[in-house]
Amino acid sequence: MPIWTLYGLSRGLATTPWPAKSESGQQQGVLGLPAFNQDRCDETCRACVDSCLPEAITIESSASGERLTIDYGKCISCQLCTETCPNSALEKSDHWAFGVRRREDLVWAEAMATQEAKELKNGIRRTFGRSLHIRHVDAGSCNGCESELQALNNPYYNLHRLGIFFTPSPRFADLLLVTGSVTYAMREPLLETWNAMPEPKWVMATGTCAVSGGITGGGYSCAHGLDGILPVDIYLPGCPPNPSAMIHALLLLLRRAEQVVHGGHYGR
Amino acid sequence: MRETTERVLQPAEIAEACRQLTDQGARLQMAYAWFPERGESPEVLYLADQGPGKPFPLLRCRPSQGSAQMISLATQIPLLGWYEREMTDLCGIYFAGHPEPRLLVLHEGAHPALPPLDPRYPKDQIMPYTEEAWDLPPVEGNDVQALPFGPVRGDVLESAQIAFYYIGEAILHCHPRLFFKHRGMEKRFEGLSPMLGTLVAEQISAVGSVSHALAYCQAVENACECEVPLRARCLRTVLAEMERLYNHLYYLGHLCHTTTLKVGEAQGKLLAEQCKQFNGIFTGSRFLRGLLKPGGLRRDLNLHGLRAKLNVLEPEIESYMQALETTNSHLDRLITTGHLPYQTAFDQGASGPIKRASGIERDLRHDHPYAAYDRLPIEIPVRNEGDAHARVQVRMAEIRTSVALIVRAIDEMPEGPIDTEVRLQPRAEGLGWCEGPRGSTYYCVHLDDIGTLVRVKVKSPSFSNWRVFPFTVHDTNMMDYAINEASFGLTMAGCDR
């Protein structure tokens, strides 16, 4: 055993200083959800719509003509639209911090609304200070979200340093973190877990499947994510959201980070 | 299908044909059904592997219209038991004389109006479901306790339920209830273009994104007689090995978690994280998604930097594995734990590192080379002990091979195009395969008159290994359970689909 102690010490500090110190340097090279440059879009072309399997990009008809809309809550960041768009209106980007408090903020809005962010019920900061205990429920994922959630406790992300912990018992949990599009067989166990949690409690829909169903929602055995099943406080699309995106969304819930996406626009 | 030897038989002839195949040393790999014509009876296919370099035997038969009845082969070839139950649940084919005539993929209380994989079943209609009690086998005796565990388990784990019958520490019987995560993924392929089908294949199991997408793409290429350019095949090989590398490193870390070797856990998971970061840097995706397509790759990759990074990581990995192999407290928990004998592994259908740890020397990379594996030397590590430690040693050897393969493949990377056009052929059928981190992955695709997908069958390694796993749990003790489960390295998503 002393060998392992020495082994650990000799490896030095492995944990990233993010988010306290460095702003960048996270998730180098990882592609996020595609960026939309509306001014370059030729709206008569439907290349991106036809390539979008989860129907995140759709054409909306209105009195003023047809209009492209993007719902980032349905995007699985497969990058196909960025490869089919002839005008680079949709481009690969490093936009991954997509945690939002309101579902509408994931839908592209032409005019930027200046609404105040929804106030969380009960004032989470007052209730919990800065700490949080999470109960995770896999309601039918592809294991991608679990793989990244498990990564949160590796020495690089070291979630404990932020005062955030996973707990086995729902009785001790403040946040129900749900992955997957909610299969018929997981619906009841999910609701039982929710009912076993003490008030006040919160829900985070993690990954595109839990936000909207993505491409796994629907069909003969799945619901379309958490909408209509549980009251969601934080939506985090991504397929899967990378560990930094998860940390950002958790800090967003605790009011220790700012929301980056408003009306589908990133970082404005 | 290309690369197979097909025989069309009557349902009554299947048992004899399977017996002949097994007598000749072949091993059944999977069985599935599909509906060639809307409203007509399904066709049942049995796929076997008869060893290195030989084509895959494929038996096809059609139960007569209306009855949809076959004879169960599960008493003769036990590994077919789950495939038959799956066909009953999803395709409505009844197998007479099945030793476990219970639901498998669907849970008690699910009542689809038609079998879900029947093309007449609408793509977007959820099954009616009322929760019903789980049909558990009765176990009686003094002091026998039953412990249903899950589906929501401790830590961050995938959903599954396991019932233990135990006395004190000793487990009498372990009965898993899986398929809580059954998402009906095979149905999602219906009506898609082969290009978009790749996205569905990537979503079946995230930690097997490459092996699923690769087996799928190869199945489409096999169906459409498409030759993939060499550079694309070499890049695919590198991607498949990068997937194996981060999976196996995470596996070692997670196993340390169960034996409470804390620093070992931290180091294993850190090494896996570093590999995932390399994936992100060089491919844009930590899970290596969004790269493959039928006909080649979606974009070219420059992997020269990866070689330098791996050169730095390799001694770290080596010293970590050596430290694990010399830690008595860790080894004590692994040696003799979860013993899987050769015959059980063979009969029940063990796959990948699990079967190789029980003495079965089979690896699709070597036996039926795909991508660029025909250009690379593949060593198949085999152990005969069949315990948790053997499963670890097989994976450690595979880690070393993976690093060597990646380095060599990058060094010998040819220039050239990365994709070619796939000319879709009406009513084409194809078989694709891949040795993923967890074992053999098979895909069968069937196209319709205009080249869209009508049926895609997915055989994932965890489906095979979950069937085998309980055999190593009966008559062991509770303290070893978590270690044993971790030593199998199973995923639910791949198994449940």
Side-chain angles (χ1 to χ4, degrees):
Chain A
M1 237 9 73
I3 301 282
W4 279 103
T5 309
L6 277 174
Y7 191 97
L9 289 171
S10 70
R11 290 305 180 278
L13 191 66
T15 307
T16 171
W18 182 87
K21 287 197 185 128
S22 66
E23 272 301 304
S24 57
Q26 278 289 303
Q27 306 301 335
Q28 187 191 347
V30 173
L31 297 173
L33 280 55
F36 182 44
N37 308 297
Q38 196 176 24
D39 44 337
R40 289 188 214 152
C41 177
D42 166 14
E43 295 193 348
T44 56
C45 142
R46 300 175 56 97
C48 55
V49 179
D50 295 337
S51 73
C52 187
L53 184 56
E55 295 175 2
I57 310 175
T58 47
I59 296 278
E60 219 171 59
S61 296
S62 64
S64 57
E66 291 194 322
R67 202 171 63 88
L68 200 71
T69 63
I70 303 177
D71 181 353
Y72 284 106
K74 293 182 177 170
C75 176
I76 56 165
S77 82
C78 69
Q79 314 295 338
L80 267 184
C81 58
T82 68
E83 289 165 19
T84 50
C85 179
N87 306 323
S88 308
L90 286 151
E91 280 185 315
K92 292 187 172 68
S93 78
D94 58 359
H95 298 171
W96 45 253
F98 260 86
V100 295
R101 296 194 182 91
R102 301 183 314 147
R103 180 70 176 81
E104 306 87 272
D105 271 331
L106 294 172
V107 182
W108 178 266
E110 214 156 335
M112 275 292 295
T114 51
Q115 271 171 300
E116 284 297 301
K118 185 180 79 173
E119 276 303 313
L120 279 173
K121 59 191 179 198
N122 298 334
I124 191 164
R125 186 72 177 266
R126 201 175 57 237
T127 314
F128 293 128
R130 300 164 68 86
S131 181
L132 191 73
H133 282 72
I134 307 169
R135 174 64 248 192
H136 157 254
V137 173
D138 162 17
S141 71
C142 69
N143 196 19
C145 291
E146 281 69 31
S147 183
E148 296 296 52
L149 285 167
Q150 288 158 351
L152 290 176
N153 278 338
N154 73 33
Y156 184 78
Y157 298 104
N158 193 8
L159 191 65
H160 291 184
R161 76 199 148 105
L162 300 168
I164 304 173
F165 308 91
F166 286 95
T167 171
S169 169
R171 300 273 184 225
F172 306 142
D174 313 313
L175 172 70
L176 183 66
L177 190 156
V178 187
T179 58
S181 45
V182 190
T183 62
Y184 72 98
M186 277 311 294
R187 189 189 169 102
E188 270 308 307
L190 173 67
L191 292 175
E192 272 181 51
T193 311
W194 170 246
N195 291 333
M197 286 170 61
E199 293 278 356
K201 52 189 175 184
W202 286 267
V203 178
M204 182 163 133
T206 305
T208 298
C209 291
V211 172
S212 69
I215 62 170
T216 68
Y220 63 85
S221 73
C222 288
H224 291 273
L226 284 178
D227 270 344
I229 296 176
L230 286 174
V232 179
D233 298 289
I234 296 278
Y235 296 90
L236 174 62
C239 194
N242 65 53
S244 304
M246 289 175 173
I247 292 176
H248 173 261
L250 290 169
L251 295 179
L252 180 67
L253 176 78
L254 292 170
R255 304 222 163 251
R256 291 162 61 182
E258 292 300 317
Q259 185 169 318
V260 179
V261 179
H262 297 95
H265 297 251
Y266 194 88
R268 281 190 232 163
Chain B
M1 290 182 205
R2 288 160 79 208
E3 319 240 5
T4 66
T5 49
E6 287 187 39
R7 288 173 67 196
V8 181
L9 300 168
Q10 292 301 315
E13 297 169 332
I14 289 287
E16 180 54 30
C18 282
R19 193 172 305 128
Q20 278 175 10
L21 281 176
T22 46
D23 286 349
Q24 291 159 9
R27 189 179 187 221
L28 266 293
Q29 295 296 318
M30 69 164 167
Y32 71 101
W34 74 300
F35 293 79
E37 300 96 19
R38 209 180 162 87
E40 299 286 318
S41 70
E43 185 189 34
V44 182
L45 294 92
Y46 295 83
L47 181 79
D49 178 8
Q50 53 181 353
K54 296 180 186 161
F56 294 95
L58 184 70
L59 309 177
R60 316 179 70 136
C61 76
R62 271 189 91 172
S64 56
Q65 176 68 22
S67 69
Q69 181 164 339
M70 298 276 295
I71 295 161
S72 171
L73 303 178
T75 47
Q76 192 188 116
I77 303 168
L79 68 89
L80 286 176
W82 273 26
Y83 294 98
E84 292 179 350
R85 286 164 73 188
E86 181 178 69
M87 282 187 261
T88 307
D89 291 3
L90 301 182
C91 301
I93 304 169
Y94 176 69
F95 286 85
H98 198 292
E100 301 166 287
R102 287 186 294 276
L103 290 169
L104 177 74
V105 176
L106 299 184
H107 280 193
E108 291 88 352
H111 300 289
L114 277 167
L117 288 185
D118 189 319
R120 290 172 297 172
Y121 191 101
K123 259 195 103 176
D124 210 0
Q125 181 184 314
I126 194 155
M127 297 178 291
Y129 175 69
T130 45
E131 208 178 359
E132 281 177 26
W134 179 11
D135 184 14
L136 269 169
V139 176
E140 286 169 16
N142 287 342
D143 305 322
V144 177
Q145 289 180 294
L147 174 72
F149 177 51
V152 180
R153 304 192 281 169
D155 223 339
V156 177
L157 285 179
E158 290 186 272
S159 296
Q161 194 170 22
I162 293 130
F164 298 101
Y165 295 93
Y166 64 104
I167 300 176
E169 254 307 287
I171 301 173
L172 292 176
H173 182 77
C174 151
H175 202 81
R177 187 193 208 190
L178 311 177
F179 301 96
F180 279 91
K181 297 178 57 156
H182 179 61
R183 292 164 287 160
M185 292 304 279
E186 289 175 13
K187 182 87 175 172
R188 309 305 167 110
F189 288 98
E190 256 177 42
L192 293 185
S193 71
M195 174 63 230
L196 289 181
T198 319
L199 302 182
V200 179
E202 284 180 347
Q203 297 253 331
I204 287 176
S205 169
V207 290
S209 293
V210 176
S211 34
H212 280 271
L214 185 52
Y216 166 78
C217 289
Q218 289 174 167
V220 174
E221 290 151 9
N222 174 294
C224 301
E225 302 185 27
C226 164
E227 286 296 325
V228 178
L230 183 59
R231 182 175 171 83
R233 290 194 280 132
C234 291
L235 286 169
R236 284 175 169 189
T237 309
V238 175
L239 294 175
E241 293 306 320
M242 285 165 78
E243 177 169 276
R244 196 179 322 276
L245 195 56
Y246 84 80
N247 267 288
H248 282 6
L249 288 169
Y250 183 83
Y251 167 92
L252 294 179
H254 181 60
L255 197 68
C256 291
H257 171 72
T258 60
T259 65
T260 62
L261 187 66
K262 291 294 179 188
V263 183
E265 176 189 357
Q267 179 70 4
K269 292 184 177 175
L270 181 61
L271 290 169
E273 171 65 26
Q274 283 166 336
C275 286
K276 269 187 176 174
Q277 290 183 4
F278 296 164
N279 296 349
I281 293 169
F282 295 102
T283 74
S285 163
R286 285 164 60 88
F287 293 88
L288 307 163
R289 280 177 166 171
L291 298 162
L292 301 185
K293 69 170 183 185
L297 255 67
R298 275 163 57 183
R299 55 178 181 273
D300 206 350
L301 302 172
N302 180 357
L303 299 173
H304 288 298
L306 176 64
R307 196 190 185 294
K309 298 242 182 216
L310 277 181
N311 281 344
V312 177
L313 201 65
E314 192 182 3
E316 278 286 299
I317 295 173
E318 194 53 49
S319 79
Y320 169 61
M321 294 198 299
Q322 278 174 12
L324 288 181
E325 283 292 273
T326 50
T327 302
N328 289 338
S329 65
H330 183 64
L331 296 177
D332 275 349
R333 306 298 307 274
L334 301 177
I335 294 170
T336 71
T337 297
H339 180 244
L340 178 67
Y342 174 93
Q343 202 59 44
T344 313
F346 190 89
D347 290 345
Q348 302 293 342
S351 189
I354 311 301
K355 75 177 168 200
R356 291 192 282 277
S358 291
I360 303 175
E361 192 178 350
R362 282 274 176 277
D363 188 321
L364 287 172
R365 294 178 292 170
H366 173 269
D367 298 347
H368 304 280
Y370 51 92
Y373 286 111
D374 54 347
R375 302 162 58 89
L376 298 163
I378 305 281
E379 281 171 48
I380 312 180
V382 178
R383 296 287 182 281
N384 294 312
E385 294 85 348
D387 59 359
H389 186 229
R391 295 192 272 277
V392 173
Q393 286 187 318
V394 166
R395 279 182 160 95
M396 284 182 172
E398 290 187 4
I399 288 173
R400 294 187 182 103
T401 315
S402 281
V403 175
L405 284 176
I406 295 172
V407 169
R408 177 150 174 185
I410 293 175
D411 285 345
E412 296 177 1
M413 187 66 67
E415 292 299 319
I418 50 143
D419 64 346
T420 182
E421 192 198 346
V422 181
R423 272 192 229 54
L424 296 177
Q425 297 173 9
R427 300 192 75 79
E429 300 175 321
L431 170 69
W433 61 89
C434 172
E435 187 76 24
R438 289 172 178 75
S440 46
T441 311
Y442 290 94
Y443 270 70
C444 280
V445 301
H446 299 266
L447 305 182
D448 68 3
D449 295 330
I450 51 165
T452 53
L453 301 165
V454 280
R455 174 77 167 103
V456 175
K457 168 63 194 168
V458 183
K459 200 295 272 184
S460 78
S462 287
F463 183 82
S464 310
N465 287 333
W466 260 110
R467 173 169 172 97
V468 179
F469 172 62
F471 290 92
T472 66
V473 182
H474 309 316
D475 284 332
T476 60
N477 60 64
M478 285 295 221
M479 280 196 351
D480 284 343
Y481 177 81
I483 298 171
N484 188 17
E485 191 186 319
S487 81
F488 265 74
L490 303 156
T491 68
M492 291 318 314
C495 174
D496 294 359
R497 289 155 292 137

